[in-house]
Amino acid sequence: MPFRKTLIASLIAAPLALNGGTALAQHLTHVPNANPKNPGVTSATILSPELAQIVRAQGAMPVENPTDAVNYYGYINNQPNLLPAFGSNVEASKTEPDKNTYLVLHGLRGADPAYDYGAHFLFQGHEAGAGVITRINLDADAAHRVTVLATRDRNGNPLPSFDGSTWYPWAGRLLFTGEFGGAVSGGVWQATLDFPSVVEDISGVIGRGGYEGIQADSDGNLWIAEDVGGSTIAGARLPNSFIYRFVPKNRFDLKQGGRLQALQVMSKANPGKAIAFNPASALTQDVKDLHTYGIVFDTNWVTIHDTDVNGTTPFDANALAKAKLATPFKRPENAMFRPGSGFREFFFDETGDTSATTTAGSDFGGFGGILKLSQSSPSANSGQLMLFYKGDVVHTGFDNVAFWDEHHIVFVEDAGDTLHAQRNALDSGWMFDVRNNYADPSNQPIRIIAQGRDPSATIDSGLQGTSGFQNDGDNEITGIHVSDGDASVGGILGAKRPHAFKDGWRVFYTGQHGDNATYEIVRNREGDRDEDDDRR
């Protein structure tokens, strides 16, 4: 069957039923401690005992179709050695696979026209070095496990580093976001699923910015979290990043344009005025109010660019958001709609300053946090915003996010090597119950992942600061993703109530840096105390 017909059949056949149940999440055991950062010492990742993990691909795995840019899943072709020789700090640069997107589809092709690649696929953009889009063929053997879908766009231009990704079923495109370069080279790219993938830069309609998290709602709007670190003033970073919503003219062809909007939050300290960018201080009353439990803010969406009026020349979204008095945040990176909310509840994180010495502390968002936006509908022009969780030095650097089920959301940390050393703790994955009031100190999130540090990351950590060394050190957790792979419109994230490990729902994440391994989290039957366990 031709690819297009097979793809359409897969989309139509994908199940639309809602899945319920929260038993396993309620029974996950808290991992009591993060792994310490000890010089020269490797450490194993520790999961809740009800969970286990399987490597689905790792950096040293050869791709099935080597290119001039990459021969291995997690390395760039800029050095012959993947690890440094004794007494050297020279090694190949890591590609750093980032956000995962899982889809179940039939008829996808790869580099080998005679091979059956199965139906279960995991897509990634890569955050560092050469821009690359890969597909992990989960049903394939080792020789066909990783396919390089693209390293250049349809015009032959090298792809940028990618951070976020999502599936946009109306147009039948994967969407990838580029954070690095901001107004110069950041933005949104769309890519076809087939091999080789046709990739197009659509920043002329969605803008250029430090875009990272990207998510569609049921109306076909795109919600984007921007991660642009602001200047440091008096020991704290300025809030300098925005939450955007793109309203397309035609969901079936994003290139036709639309309106880019930015979220505006109304001040409590200055009634009638918006909380706008302040170049002088990160320690204002408005910033403190945003990070105070119990305060409910009114919000609006302000249009910063309309292709019908402004055309399709790429534009600086961050600058326009500031000019239109949208509200900046402390590096929001990713976001998710709560399943079962009808896309009326939107949770997004702030990474914060990623330093234990920030003068902002918890009260002014120095350690970031989680905010909740509520609206009457996903396309509503107004809503209400409140703090869901205030970060601290133990719970900070929040990056990727996924709903485990309708009541439990997981945020994983990317605290960075400096903060790891300052707090003597590597990254963690935290599960929150959205029904809890975290202003009550008796309510605490559950650590379900205590990230370890693999041998190559340990070597890299020891080489940090040496002349000419270009890789990061400690592993970080990224790409947390819970999905049943439903590629239909009814299967977009947030449309169905997830139930990890049942009814086709699967959980993935990537241990970025070091070995660059992408894992699937599975149920540990030996450690599982769930009363619904089918062993009983």
Side-chain angles (χ1 to χ4, degrees):
M1 182 183 293
F3 168 75
R4 184 174 297 277
K5 290 183 179 179
T6 305
L7 173 59
I8 292 173
S10 298
L11 298 181
I12 294 173
L16 298 178
L18 296 178
N19 297 307
T22 62
L24 183 59
Q26 292 173 347
H27 287 83
L28 289 180
T29 301
H30 176 62
V31 179
N33 298 300
N35 272 307
K37 177 184 170 82
N38 293 324
V41 178
T42 63
S43 54
T45 295
I46 302 171
L47 305 177
S48 296
E50 298 81 12
L51 306 175
Q53 62 185 28
I54 300 168
V55 174
R56 292 304 185 190
Q58 66 182 46
M61 179 175 283
V63 301
E64 69 162 344
N65 54 325
T67 72
D68 58 347
V70 289
N71 289 342
Y72 302 91
Y73 174 61
Y75 290 88
I76 299 168
N77 295 341
N78 61 353
Q79 296 291 340
N81 296 328
L82 301 188
L83 290 174
F86 181 76
S88 169
N89 71 350
V90 178
E91 64 181 16
S93 297
K94 311 293 177 73
T95 66
E96 300 181 12
D98 206 302
K99 187 71 173 70
N100 293 297
T101 295
Y102 171 62
L103 294 173
V104 178
L105 293 165
H106 298 275
L108 293 191
R109 301 170 297 188
D112 183 348
Y115 189 77
D116 180 357
Y117 287 86
H120 302 87
F121 303 96
L122 197 63
F123 300 84
Q124 305 89 22
H126 292 243
E127 186 177 3
V132 59
I133 298 172
T134 54
R135 187 184 74 203
I136 299 175
N137 308 308
L138 295 165
D139 300 329
D141 59 22
H144 298 88
R145 176 59 58 88
V146 179
T147 303
V148 177
L149 292 183
T151 60
R152 296 180 178 273
D153 68 17
R154 69 178 306 163
N155 297 318
N157 300 310
L159 296 178
S161 299
F162 287 132
D163 295 271
S165 69
T166 197
W167 168 242
Y168 192 75
W170 292 275
R173 295 291 187 271
L174 292 159
L175 301 179
F176 294 92
T177 56
E179 170 194 356
F180 294 118
V184 177
S185 55
V188 180
W189 281 252
Q190 65 176 16
T192 60
L193 290 163
D194 53 335
F195 172 84
S197 178
V198 177
V199 185
E200 297 174 286
D201 182 354
I202 57 173
S203 300
V205 297
I206 303 185
R208 296 216 177 276
Y211 296 158
E212 186 155 349
I214 185 167
Q215 169 78 57
D217 67 31
S218 55
D219 289 343
N221 306 313
L222 287 168
W223 297 54
I224 303 172
E226 183 180 42
D227 176 14
V228 178
S231 301
T232 298
I233 305 293
R237 284 188 175 186
L238 297 176
N240 192 53
S241 307
F242 298 88
I243 297 293
Y244 300 96
R245 183 175 70 180
F246 178 69
V247 182
K249 292 174 60 177
N250 183 351
R251 290 175 294 179
F252 301 97
D253 184 1
L254 294 175
K255 292 188 297 181
Q256 289 190 19
R259 291 176 289 122
L260 184 69
Q261 302 173 322
L263 185 66
Q264 181 185 73
V265 182
M266 303 308 294
S267 173
K268 293 293 186 180
N270 300 287
K273 293 186 177 181
I275 301 176
F277 176 70
N278 185 333
S281 176
L283 307 178
T284 66
Q285 186 63 46
D286 282 329
V287 174
K288 185 176 183 179
D289 287 346
L290 280 171
H291 298 93
T292 299
Y293 286 117
I295 300 179
V296 180
F297 298 88
D298 292 329
T299 65
N300 305 292
W301 289 100
V302 292
T303 297
I304 63 173
H305 187 274
D306 185 338
T307 52
D308 283 348
V309 177
N310 307 114
T312 57
T313 301
F315 57 92
D316 183 344
N318 187 280
L320 291 179
K322 289 174 180 173
K324 295 287 188 176
L325 303 183
T327 299
F329 297 92
K330 300 274 279 190
R331 297 180 57 206
E333 295 208 34
N334 275 278
M336 193 69 63
F337 288 98
R338 182 184 180 185
S341 72
F343 293 88
R344 294 187 295 268
E345 296 182 16
F346 183 71
F347 290 79
F348 65 93
D349 60 30
E350 289 183 303
T351 296
D353 292 347
T354 58
S355 173
T357 64
T358 174
T359 58
S362 292
D363 287 345
F364 290 87
F367 299 116
I370 305 167
L371 295 108
K372 173 187 173 182
L373 176 66
S374 301
Q375 298 187 168
S376 61
S377 72
S379 295
N381 289 322
S382 61
Q384 292 185 320
L385 182 76
M386 63 183 297
L387 180 71
F388 170 71
Y389 183 79
K390 182 190 291 190
D392 54 40
V393 74
V394 176
H395 315 82
T396 188
F398 296 141
D399 192 332
N400 278 209
V401 56
F403 266 95
W404 196 270
D405 58 45
E406 64 179 312
H407 300 308
H408 296 89
I409 189 170
V410 176
F411 284 89
V412 296
E413 293 180 335
D414 173 13
D417 293 3
T418 297
L419 186 52
H420 293 164
Q422 290 172 333
R423 67 182 186 178
N424 191 29
L426 301 177
D427 288 337
S428 294
W430 298 99
M431 177 175 284
F432 298 83
D433 189 326
V434 297
R435 298 165 298 184
N436 280 351
N437 173 17
Y438 286 100
D440 181 347
S442 67
N443 290 325
Q444 293 293 321
I446 296 171
R447 181 188 285 112
I448 65 169
I449 306 172
Q451 177 77 326
R453 189 170 61 182
D454 61 46
S456 56
T458 305
I459 292 170
D460 290 348
S461 184
L463 293 173
Q464 289 288 291
T466 61
S467 178
F469 187 73
Q470 79 282 5
N471 285 321
D472 284 303
D474 308 328
N475 295 119
E476 71 176 58
I477 312 172
T478 193
I480 186 75
H481 185 62
V482 180
S483 172
D484 68 348
D486 183 351
S488 74
V489 169
I492 61 173
L493 297 177
K496 299 160 70 172
R497 293 179 174 90
H499 191 185
F501 318 131
K502 289 187 177 181
D503 303 320
W505 288 87
R506 301 173 73 171
V507 183
F508 301 92
Y509 83 94
T510 296
Q512 209 175 53
H513 312 317
D515 288 345
N516 275 336
T518 294
Y519 300 95
E520 180 172 3
I521 295 179
V522 297
R523 187 179 249 180
N524 178 12
R525 296 291 182 180
E526 298 307 316
D528 188 355
R529 299 177 299 166
D530 188 346
E531 294 178 357
D532 293 332
D533 193 319
D534 57 17
R535 293 177 301 171
R536 297 180 172 89

